[in-house]
Amino acid sequence: MNPGARLLVLGKQGAGKGTQAVRLSRHYVVPHISTGDTFRQAVRSGSELGVEARRYLDAGELVPDEVVIAMVRQRLTRSDTSHRGFVLDGFPRTVAQAEALAEMLVPNGLHLAVDLEIDTASVLSRLASRRVCVDCGANYSVIDNPSRVPGLCDVCGGEVVQRDDDTEAAIRRRLELYERETAPLIAWYEERSLLARIDALGMPDEVTERIVTEVDRRILRAAGG
Ligand code: AMP
């Protein structure tokens, strides 16, 4: 059995983080932890967290660090992640979150931060065609990766919709915040020798293969191989 992995995926909105994180979680048999999916579920359920998070999500703003950090901290204490690992998707997004995560992961640490590299023009066209399952978060594209039955998720049968924050204004704001708050994480992980830069253009299968090659090399090295 695959020994698991402790990974996170960085990249601009529309780089394919969600798609690749789901694939990596299946490959390494570890939970996929998406802070964005968790917030969207909370908004739909009308919970206290959802009511608080909604105004940030709709505007494309970041939810305050302390709220996100507490949520991830709680999730990472569950035994599935502490035994086999995880794929974090959408977290960390600020240096403060990366620092908090490093503390949470003592003593095992992270295997790799995967940065999905893509230019802004490609991202804008991907975002316009993006659709997402409201139940499991699976990602689709009306152009090159539609669900088999229109409007229904291949994985869980849930409803497949366009995200409320995939509007032009919110996308522009999220890309701005990415440059200001999240892009510095690339240097942060590089300085700690934890970064893999991956070309995010191409078919999803090709991108997954590029990532898995890097991750396996890193895990082997961490194990002393
Ligand atoms: P995503 O699905 O990763 O694009 O996240 C959707 C929205 O959830 C973001 O635009 C933020 O409002 C919020 N969000 C998700 N992850 C984080 C995070 N790590 N820090 C702050 N806000 C977040």
Side-chain angles (χ1 to χ4, degrees):
M1 161 95 148
N2 188 308
R6 297 183 297 280
L7 307 174
L8 63 87
V9 186
L10 297 170
K12 286 186 193 111
Q13 288 65 30
K17 288 194 298 292
T19 301
Q20 293 302 328
V22 167
R23 286 159 167 258
L24 292 170
S25 86
R26 291 202 196 114
H27 183 91
Y28 291 102
V29 200
V30 292
H32 167 214
I33 303 176
S34 158
T35 44
D37 283 351
T38 309
F39 286 131
R40 280 185 287 278
Q41 273 156 17
V43 167
R44 276 206 315 284
S45 74
S47 68
E48 209 177 304
L49 174 69
V51 172
E52 188 184 351
R54 174 158 209 165
R55 54 199 170 107
Y56 297 102
L57 265 74
D58 284 353
E61 298 292 330
L62 292 180
V63 175
D65 281 340
E66 57 277 14
V67 175
V68 193
I69 290 169
M71 194 172 85
V72 172
R73 191 189 303 281
Q74 195 188 27
R75 180 64 185 87
L76 288 181
T77 56
R78 275 174 39 193
S79 61
D80 54 352
T81 59
S82 51
H83 285 134
R84 294 197 45 82
F86 49 81
V87 180
L88 280 168
D89 164 8
F91 183 93
R93 257 180 161 94
T94 63
V95 169
Q97 292 179 17
E99 284 168 351
L101 176 65
E103 233 170 74
M104 291 176 218
L105 295 182
V106 170
N108 292 329
L110 191 71
H111 284 121
L112 208 57
V114 174
D115 179 37
L116 294 176
E117 296 188 318
I118 191 162
D119 59 289
T120 301
S122 305
V123 148
L124 289 173
S125 86
R126 279 190 184 186
L127 288 173
S129 66
R130 170 158 82 178
R131 300 292 182 272
V132 59
C133 170
V134 295
D135 288 331
C136 75
N139 274 267
Y140 298 94
S141 156
V142 289
I143 295 173
D144 55 16
N145 179 31
S147 55
R148 281 193 293 269
V149 178
L152 287 186
C153 179
D154 295 350
V155 182
C156 74
E159 194 188 353
V160 172
V161 300
Q162 184 156 33
R163 277 170 48 165
D164 289 340
D165 60 350
D166 277 348
T167 62
E168 206 188 315
I171 289 171
R172 213 177 317 116
R173 180 65 183 144
R174 277 147 67 213
L175 287 171
E176 242 171 63
L177 280 173
Y178 174 81
E179 291 304 333
R180 198 177 79 205
E181 304 286 347
T182 310
L185 292 181
I186 295 167
W188 198 91
Y189 282 109
E190 190 153 49
E191 281 158 21
R192 287 158 183 78
S193 302
L194 285 170
L195 188 78
R197 291 175 193 271
I198 303 287
D199 178 2
L201 281 177
M203 295 305 286
D205 278 350
E206 294 164 358
V207 179
T208 308
E209 205 178 303
R210 289 176 207 145
I211 302 174
V212 166
T213 304
E214 285 298 320
V215 172
D216 286 351
R217 190 184 302 160
R218 172 59 61 123
I219 290 176
L220 205 65
R221 209 187 311 153

